[in-house]
């Protein structure tokens, strides 16, 4: 059995909080269709991610990757900052 390390999940979202040391909160917004009524509904999921250099600000668009558990709620890490907040 050869298990690849490359099968880690990646998400793109917007930083909503950076008040913690070396940690950020990212919100990922998905548009899903309601199963019965067909209307598109916005679903928001929050992730706590590790930001080693404390370089993210609120409003930045970032890419995060799944990793081993770093704390009770933190098992994602920052990969790159895609776009800075204006």
């Amino acid at each position: 059995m050869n298990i690849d390390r490359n099968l880690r999940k990646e998400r793109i979202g917007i930083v909503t909080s950076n008040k913690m040391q070396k940690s950020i909160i990212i919100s990922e917004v998905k548009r899903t269709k309601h199963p019965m009524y067909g209307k598109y509904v916005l679903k928001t999921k929050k992730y706590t991610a590790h930001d080693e250099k404390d370089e993210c600000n609120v409003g930045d668009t970032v890419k995060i990757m799944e990793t081993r558990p770093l704390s009770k709620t933190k098992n994602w890490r920052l990969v790159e900052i895609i776009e800075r907040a204006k």
Side-chain angles (χ1 to χ4, degrees):
M1 291 190 113
N2 188 5
I3 298 173
D4 292 335
R5 281 179 53 114
N6 300 337
L7 299 175
R8 296 177 178 220
K9 295 178 190 140
E10 290 187 342
R11 301 279 186 262
I12 294 175
I14 296 172
V15 178
T16 54
S17 172
N18 65 345
K19 296 196 185 300
M20 297 173 278
Q21 293 176 357
K22 296 189 177 183
S23 297
I24 51 176
I25 304 280
I26 291 107
S27 290
E28 178 196 30
V29 179
K30 287 183 181 178
R31 286 181 65 228
T32 58
K33 202 170 188 179
H34 191 281
M36 185 172 176
Y37 299 113
K39 183 177 177 178
Y40 284 97
V41 184
L42 293 179
K43 301 245 180 194
T44 305
K45 174 97 168 124
K46 284 185 175 180
Y47 300 98
T48 307
H50 185 67
D51 180 12
E52 183 63 42
K53 298 173 191 159
D54 269 332
E55 54 192 0
C56 287
N57 295 315
V58 176
D60 290 353
T61 304
V62 296
K63 180 190 259 188
I64 56 174
M65 179 185 281
E66 200 173 32
T67 184
R68 66 182 175 83
L70 300 167
S71 71
K72 181 180 176 184
T73 58
K74 195 163 64 166
N75 53 8
W76 294 83
R77 67 179 170 83
L78 177 69
V79 176
E80 65 173 319
I81 299 171
I82 296 171
E83 187 180 347
R84 291 273 182 193
K86 295 178 178 96

